[in-house]
Amino acid sequence: MWKIVVFSVCLAIINAADPTIEEEEKVLVLNDKNFDFALENNKHIMVEFYAPWCGHCKALAPEYAKAAAQLSDEQSEIKLAKVDATEFTKLAEKHDVRGYPTIKFFRNGKPIEFQAGRQASDIVNWLKKKTGPVAETLETVDAAKVLIEKNDVVTIGFFSSADSASAKTFLEVAATVDDMPFAVSYNEDVRSEYEVKDKDAAIVLFKKFDEGKVVFDGEITEESVKTFITGNQLPLVIEFTQDSAQKVFGGEIKNHVLLFVSKKSDKFNELTANFKESAQKFKGKVLFIYINIDEEDNQRILEFFALKMEECPAVRYIALGDDMTKFKFEAEEITTDNVNNFVQEVLDGKIKPHLMTEEVPADWDSKPVKVLVGKNFNEVARDEKKSVFVEFYAPWCGHCKQLAPIWDELGQNYENTEDVVIAKMDATANELEDIKVQSFPTIKFFPKGSNEVIDYNGERTLKAFEKFIASGGKDQGEPSKEEEEEEEPETHEDHDKDEL
C-alpha cells in the first residue's frame, strides 16, 4: 500500500513540475522553459522560429496552422510548434537560426532542416515522407480518389507485385523526393479505374493543372523516373511567388527563363500563352517563370537583372550556379518563335552572357574615391602603372554603409598619390567577365606592375587598409571580424528568409 501511495505522490510532483505548453490553432507555442520538454515528449515535432514583424512568417502562418490542423484531424503523432525567435534569442542562437522563418524538424530530438514548399500540403507531404512509408499503398478505388483529390500533384505506381524490380525502383525514387506524395497499387480495380493497360508496371503522374495526368513511357530506372517527375511536377509556366520559390529552386532544373510582365497589362494573356508554347518545347530542360512586376516584393529581382519597370515586358535567361550567368533576350517582340530561338541559342552556347553595366558617370574621377562601372573598369583597375584598391558594394548592404565613411577617408588620404587609386563599384548594377562577386562588400587589390588580383580579407579599418596598400598587398593583418557576416547578393531566389 505504501508503495502505491509513494508512487502516486512522486508522479504528482513530477507532473506538477512539467512546464505548460499552450496551443494556437493546433500549433504548440514553445519558449526557453518548455522547448526541451516538448522535444523529449514528441518523437516527431516541427518547429518554426519566427519574427512577429517578418512578412514571410506572416504569409506562412495560416498554411502552417492548416497543416497542424490536418495532422491533428488525422490523429498523427507529428506535432507542429513555433518559437518567437526575437523574444527567445538564446534559444534561436542555440539552434543556429540566421533568418526568418527558420523551420526545423526534430526526429527523436535530432534536427533536420526543412526545405520544401510553404503550402500546408507541402508541409504535410514532407513530414509524412520523413516519418512514414515513402509511398501510400492504395487498396481501393476510393482511397486512390481521395489521394488524387487532396493533392495538386501525386505520382502513382501500378505494379503486379511489390517484389518486382520496377516497384522497388519506384519506391527508391519516392524516398528521395520530399515535396510530393507517392503511392503504389497492386489492385486490379484501381488499375482499371485509371485505364492503366500495362499489367506489369506503369507510372502515372496526376496533377491539377496543364494536361491533368501524364503516363510514364520508357524503361523504369531511377534516373528515368526522376527525369519524368522533374519534367512534369510543375506547371509549364510558373508564377514566381513566395510559395513557388522553393519548388523552383529546389528542383533539378537550374536553367530558368523569366518573363517580367504586369498582370494588369493588356498583353498579359497573349505573352504568357506564347511563353507556355515555348515551355512545352523545352519541357524537362528549362523552367519557364513569369514575374509579376506589380508586386513590391519582386522589385529586388528587377534590380538584380538591371531592369526598369518601363523596360517591361522583358525576357531574361539565367543559369543557376556559382556565377549566376545571365542572358539577355534581344528580339523586339516576345513571340513563341523568338523565345524558342533565344533559348535554343543559349543552350547551344551561341549567345554570350549578358554583363550589366552602367554608363560611365561624367564625374567618375572628380572625387577622391573613383567610381567604376563595367565600361571603365578594365581601363582603370588594370592600369599596370598604378595600384588600384576597389570596393565592390551593394547600395542596400548594411556592411557597405558602415564601410563607406572609412573608404571615403582612405580615398582622401591617397588623393594626391599618383600611383594609388581608391575606387568603388556598384556590383548590383555592373558585372565583370572574370571577377565574380559573391558577397558584399568584396574588396580586391590590383597591384602596380602585375596582372595579379588580391582578395582583401583583413580588418576594415583605415589603419589596416593603409598598411595593406603600403605592403603592396602582402600584409593583410588580422582577418575581418565582419567577414562571416558579409551579405550575399540577392537573386530571384532570395525571398524565403528575412535577415536577422
Side-chain angles (χ1 to χ4, degrees), residues 360-373 376 379-380 386 415 421-424:
V360 180
D363 61 346
W364 71 272
D365 62 346
S366 64
K367 295 180 180 179
V369 175
K370 311 309 174 188
V371 178
L372 302 185
V373 295
N376 70 346
E379 177 187 346
V380 178
K386 298 178 181 179
E415 186 174 11
V421 174
I422 308 301
K424 64 181 180 181

Side-chain angles (χ1 to χ4, degrees), residues 457-488:
N457 297 310
E459 291 184 345
R460 295 173 193 158
T461 64
L462 185 64
K463 183 178 180 180
F465 288 144
E466 291 178 338
K467 189 175 182 181
F468 175 75
I469 294 171
S471 71
K474 295 177 182 178
D475 189 350
Q476 297 243 8
E478 293 295 321
S480 170
K481 294 179 181 179
E482 297 174 322
E483 187 178 350
E484 293 182 359
E485 301 174 355
E486 288 175 341
E487 300 183 46
E488 295 184 356

Side-chain angles (χ1 to χ4, degrees), residues 230-273:
T230 298
N232 291 285
Q233 71 178 129
L234 293 174
L236 284 171
V237 176
I238 310 159
E239 179 180 3
F240 180 80
T241 64
Q242 179 188 327
D243 293 330
S244 67
Q246 184 60 43
K247 293 180 181 179
V248 168
F249 301 108
E252 297 293 323
I253 302 175
K254 302 303 181 185
N255 294 303
H256 301 169
V257 181
L258 312 177
L259 170 64
F260 294 85
V261 63
S262 167
K263 276 190 172 182
K264 300 173 184 176
S265 168
D266 294 338
K267 290 189 174 183
F268 175 76
N269 290 333
E270 177 189 341
L271 292 175
T272 51

Side-chain angles (χ1 to χ4, degrees), residues 28 136 142 145 147 152 177 181-182 189 202 225 236 265 268 347 406 476:
L28 306 182
E136 180 180 341
D142 286 343
K145 287 182 177 179
L147 180 68
D152 289 337
V177 180
F182 284 73
D189 292 338
V225 175
L236 284 171
S265 168
F268 175 76
L347 292 174
I406 299 172
Q476 297 243 8

Side-chain angles (χ1 to χ4, degrees), residues 166 216-225:
S166 296
F216 174 82
D217 182 22
E219 182 183 357
I220 295 178
T221 66
E222 284 191 49
E223 184 178 355
S224 63
V225 175

Side-chain angles (χ1 to χ4, degrees), residues 149-216:
E149 178 60 32
K150 73 178 183 180
N151 290 286
D152 289 337
V153 186
V154 61
T155 302
I156 302 177
F158 299 87
F159 306 103
S160 58
S161 166
D163 295 325
S164 69
S166 296
K168 290 178 180 178
T169 297
F170 179 78
L171 291 174
E172 286 173 3
V173 173
T176 66
V177 180
D178 292 331
D179 58 353
M180 66 176 291
F182 284 73
V184 291
S185 183
Y186 313 104
N187 183 281
E188 197 61 44
D189 292 338
V190 179
R191 183 191 301 274
S192 176
E193 175 70 22
Y194 294 102
E195 301 178 343
V196 177
K197 297 177 181 179
D198 193 323
K199 293 185 178 181
D200 293 324
I203 298 172
V204 182
L205 186 146
F206 297 87
K207 51 187 176 179
K208 292 179 179 175
F209 48 83
D210 295 339
E211 64 269 58
K213 81 173 186 178
V214 190
V215 180
F216 174 82

